[in-house]
Amino acid sequence: MPDAEPRRPVSEAMTQPNTSAHAGLEVDEEITIAVMGATGSGKSTFINTLSGSNLQVGNGLRSCTSAVEISCSFQLFGRNITLIDTPGFDDTTISDTDILKMIAAYLSTTYENGYTLSGIIYMHRISDFRMTGVSRRNFTMFRKLCGDSSLKNVVIVTNMWGEVTPERGEARERELATDDILFKPVLEKGACMVRHDNTYASAQEIVRRLANKTPRALCIQKELVDEHKDVSETAAGAELSREMAELVAKHRAEIAQVKEEMREALRAKDEETREELAKVRGELEAHVKKIENDRERLSSEYAEEKKRADEEMKKIRMDLEAEQVARAQRQAQIEQLEVRLRDSTNNSAEEQKRLRDEITRLNNAPRGRRGGICSIM
């Protein structure tokens, strides 16, 4: 396994290139797989196990993945593979609006530049007693991001089998696979579901299922780039807006109830209860205001995020072109030195050694970025 790298934002991430979009650029073939799922479902641990990265792993209630991050690249099945770690839509440190904004900007910018994912892994804890509201919500957003056409490139991974008895785990697995509101619809459309026992061999087998898949564009990529939709108009954006509207309605009903209880406390001259209810009302109203603000800022802040990603992509492509020129120059130098070495039979051993050393130095010179989608998040 490769040496571990420090935790970092998305950088040096390479996806399968569309050669027509990269005419004139020599970009090494690379497989990129996104890893999605709820907070605490084991995404970062899975990535670290395979890649030797040290993405931060959460042991408590707070989420550690609050941005799109990538692993260090690693070799597997003769391919260069990079895994992308994405935050769940239940993150404790960042709003769902910001999560969608980050994921959408990354996916749209890479797709515009000819890159698509080879696969998506969705992590689910088999140890969960039931599919909670939070889990369902994460899976719903996952489906909206992917769409049905990319489900053949999806592997649903159940993990944490060591926390349940085999009988209980198998019963939950059957329920997930056969329930119409759980995983059954996506399995019927081409996704597969496999177990992960938290070993390197198990993780390797999961990636093997995706390594040779034909890269496919996700639904949100087609919506944003091909159909020129606003992020709020995408399936994922509309789903998020719908959820927010439901939550606002729920809180407004709660506020109305609290107001009635405050009036009763006032009539009863129960000042202590009235003050407590006033505090609850203030918290609910603040929450409603925050949700409404999140809904309003999605489009405007996505545009800013997308502009920044596009500017970084432009720099990356310039770096790629510069690296290609430098590589060609090094190769020309090497060829010239090899000719001189072949013609140096009358030269001293010291001169021949110098030529060999120079050829070795040029061959081992740093290659710069590996032609990836670097540092755009």
Side-chain angles (χ1 to χ4, degrees):
M1 292 175 64
D3 293 336
E5 291 186 357
R7 185 172 183 261
R8 55 193 173 130
V10 173
S11 59
E12 299 176 8
M14 178 69 185
T15 48
Q16 181 69 29
N18 176 331
T19 53
S20 64
H22 289 267
L25 291 180
E26 292 183 4
V27 182
D28 295 338
E29 183 179 20
E30 187 120 1
I31 301 301
T32 297
I33 297 169
V35 184
M36 301 183 179
T39 299
S41 59
K43 301 187 295 291
S44 298
T45 298
F46 177 87
I47 291 172
N48 291 343
T49 297
L50 257 181
S51 67
S53 301
N54 62 342
L55 305 185
Q56 191 172 351
V57 177
N59 294 313
L61 296 176
R62 289 176 62 83
S63 170
C64 287
T65 305
S66 57
V68 179
E69 297 181 297
I70 71 153
S71 71
C72 49
S73 295
F74 58 97
Q75 291 287 327
L76 202 59
F77 315 119
R79 317 295 283 275
N80 204 40
I81 297 175
T82 302
L83 302 177
I84 302 175
D85 194 6
T86 61
F89 283 91
D90 58 337
D91 195 282
T92 55
T93 62
I94 189 170
S95 71
D96 287 350
T97 293
D98 290 325
I99 290 170
L100 178 58
K101 177 184 68 178
M102 288 188 299
I103 293 176
Y106 175 85
L107 291 173
S108 62
T109 296
T110 53
Y111 181 56
E112 280 178 339
N113 284 270
Y115 296 88
T116 47
L117 295 169
S118 295
I120 309 98
I121 293 170
Y122 185 83
M123 307 289 292
H124 176 76
R125 297 179 295 255
I126 200 68
S127 57
D128 285 354
F129 179 71
R130 59 188 175 85
M131 192 81 159
T132 64
V134 169
S135 297
R136 290 177 192 272
R137 186 160 161 275
N138 262 285
F139 190 64
T140 297
M141 289 299 295
F142 167 76
R143 286 202 64 185
K144 297 297 183 181
L145 286 168
C146 293
D148 289 346
S149 63
S150 64
L151 290 178
K152 292 181 179 179
N153 289 32
V154 168
V155 176
I156 297 173
V157 175
T158 55
N159 63 350
M160 303 188 184
W161 283 84
E163 298 182 13
V164 296
T165 63
E167 296 76 18
R168 180 168 295 178
E170 288 168 6
R172 292 177 185 171
E173 185 180 50
R174 284 193 298 272
E175 180 184 8
L176 291 169
T178 57
D179 195 315
D180 288 330
I181 61 173
L182 300 179
F183 296 159
K184 180 182 176 182
V186 299
L187 296 176
E188 290 178 339
K189 289 180 171 66
C192 65
M193 184 165 67
V194 301
R195 300 179 185 182
H196 175 45
D197 63 10
N198 206 37
T199 64
Y200 177 75
S202 173
Q204 190 179 50
E205 172 59 23
I206 290 165
V207 169
R208 184 192 65 78
R209 291 172 175 265
L210 297 170
N212 293 313
K213 292 282 188 180
T214 300
R216 297 174 184 269
L218 303 187
C219 176
I220 194 168
Q221 292 176 314
K222 295 177 182 178
E223 290 174 317
L224 291 171
V225 179
D226 299 336
E227 300 170 22
H228 308 289
K229 288 184 177 181
D230 183 83
V231 66
S232 63
E233 298 172 336
T234 64
E239 176 64 21
L240 182 58
S241 180
R242 184 193 64 77
E243 291 178 354
M244 288 179 167
E246 287 185 356
L247 193 54
V248 166
K250 176 176 177 288
H251 286 333
R252 291 199 185 283
E254 291 171 342
I255 290 170
Q257 179 62 34
V258 168
K259 286 180 177 178
E260 178 58 33
E261 292 175 4
M262 288 177 66
R263 284 192 288 268
E264 291 177 3
L266 186 60
R267 286 192 294 268
K269 298 182 179 180
D270 186 348
E271 185 61 22
E272 182 178 354
T273 299
R274 192 196 67 78
E275 289 178 357
E276 290 176 356
L277 289 169
K279 182 179 179 181
V280 172
R281 174 185 171 184
E283 291 172 351
L284 287 170
E285 289 175 341
H287 200 186
V288 167
K289 185 176 181 180
K290 181 181 182 303
I291 294 171
E292 291 178 335
N293 180 60
D294 282 348
R295 291 173 66 183
E296 292 172 359
R297 68 185 178 86
L298 175 59
S299 294
S300 62
E301 292 192 4
Y302 168 76
E304 295 173 4
E305 187 82 10
K306 183 66 171 63
K307 181 180 178 181
R308 187 177 67 81
D310 288 343
E311 290 173 350
E312 183 60 28
M313 175 62 76
K314 183 178 179 181
K315 295 176 184 176
I316 291 164
R317 292 185 66 83
M318 291 174 64
D319 286 349
L320 287 174
E321 291 169 351
E323 171 58 22
Q324 184 182 7
V325 170
R327 189 181 303 173
Q329 291 174 341
R330 284 195 300 269
Q331 185 59 38
Q333 286 180 277
I334 290 170
E335 291 173 359
Q336 291 174 1
L337 290 169
E338 287 175 341
V339 169
R340 290 175 58 187
L341 183 61
R342 286 196 300 270
D343 296 341
S344 66
T345 53
N346 295 326
N347 292 348
S348 65
E350 181 179 348
E351 175 63 11
Q352 292 182 25
K353 181 179 183 303
R354 187 189 69 77
L355 291 171
R356 291 192 187 95
D357 288 346
E358 182 63 12
I359 291 171
T360 299
R361 184 189 68 79
L362 289 170
N363 277 322
N364 294 335
R367 302 295 178 179
R369 303 184 188 207
R370 288 187 52 83
I373 304 307
C374 312
S375 302
I376 71 169
M377 298 302 296

